[in-house]
Amino acid sequence: ADKLGNVVALGERDCSIQRRHQKLVEESPSPAIDADMRAAMNATAETLARSVDYVNAGTLEFLVQDGQFYFLEMNTRIQVEHPVTEQVTGIDLVREQLRIAAGQPLSFSAAPQPWGHAIECRVNAEDPTSDFKPTPGPLLRYAPPAGFGVRVDSGFVEGGLIDPRFDSLIAKLIVWGRDRPEALSRLDRALADFEVAGVATTIPLFRALVRHPEFAAGDYDTRFLDRTGLATLVPPFTPPALAAPEDFTPEDGVVVIEVDGRPYRVKLPEGIGATDRATRSAPRRDARRPSRAISPTGNTLNSPIQGTVLSVAVAQDDSVEAGQLICVVEAMKMENEMVAHQSGTVTELHVQPGQTVQTGGALAVIEPA
């Protein structure tokens, strides 16, 4: 919608493949609606935008059930999955936003007829076999696919770090085909060519998804992953083992320090570093190696991730059962439930709401009954 009163709906995107009520796969056109519903939905979107004098790109979300569609909300911004619309319309949505901001009219007066079929997969640093637990860490290998009809939007390169403080999204893989079967075939090939090592990703899940007969037939809904248990069929992620520490023999006055997991050679000022303490060999950590996987140590429950404690469900001296919720830790915009690894009594509680915990940090000590 521009400032001159022009409002055009650019088709729909089906975003029903979700985990934790958040989107994983988006495609256009939707295999779930017919031409009549598509026309009615787009007309409704235009009417709603006009009724509030909306200006800018925006996304109106609808729920479809039993042959009807229902308005849910409007996201007053461009969406993560906007490349899907760009691929089937040929319209650069970001360019249109800049035109609108400059007071210019839309570069089109009506929505173009959808051209082919587009699908986007959100490649996240998450472990599908562990309830999509975030897996921050360094990208030891990062080689996105290429070729006709394949687009990858990403802000990472090999050797980059997936920071636990931010969203787990690594890249958006978008494919286009003349029809849905061709798009699925191209997506299957692109996923096979997408190489990521060092962190768990959603790529193995997508490879299983594109070959699932129900998804291939377009017969899926928002409960598809839960209903099919597809994530349980994905091979478990095994973090790369840490390299054995190497001794570093420094030059005179040169030491190695570690900042945010990366080693740096530092030349000390003259007169500093003459002591044994400053010049002795220092272990060097391979900065491209992730941290070790953390598991409970004896009676201590450790955090497998770095994050912020949102809530604590128990108190010291409480009796708990194995699997009972101890606390919730937020990492990379995901809430992760930390549960008791054994039954017993909470003899030590090391966390409180708002506290930051590190990977491997003690959450609680549970003495067996």
Side-chain angles (χ1 to χ4, degrees), residues 210-224:
V210 297
R211 300 185 180 192
H212 195 285
E214 292 181 37
F215 181 78
D219 182 19
Y220 62 88
D221 54 33
T222 55
R223 297 180 179 177
F224 181 84

Side-chain angles (χ1 to χ4, degrees), residues 245-257 273 275-285:
E246 302 174 3
D247 286 338
F248 168 69
T249 303
E251 306 165 8
D252 288 341
V254 175
V255 296
V256 172
I257 63 172
T275 64
D276 289 341
R277 180 179 182 182
T279 58
R280 74 165 64 105
S281 296
R284 180 174 61 185
R285 175 178 177 269

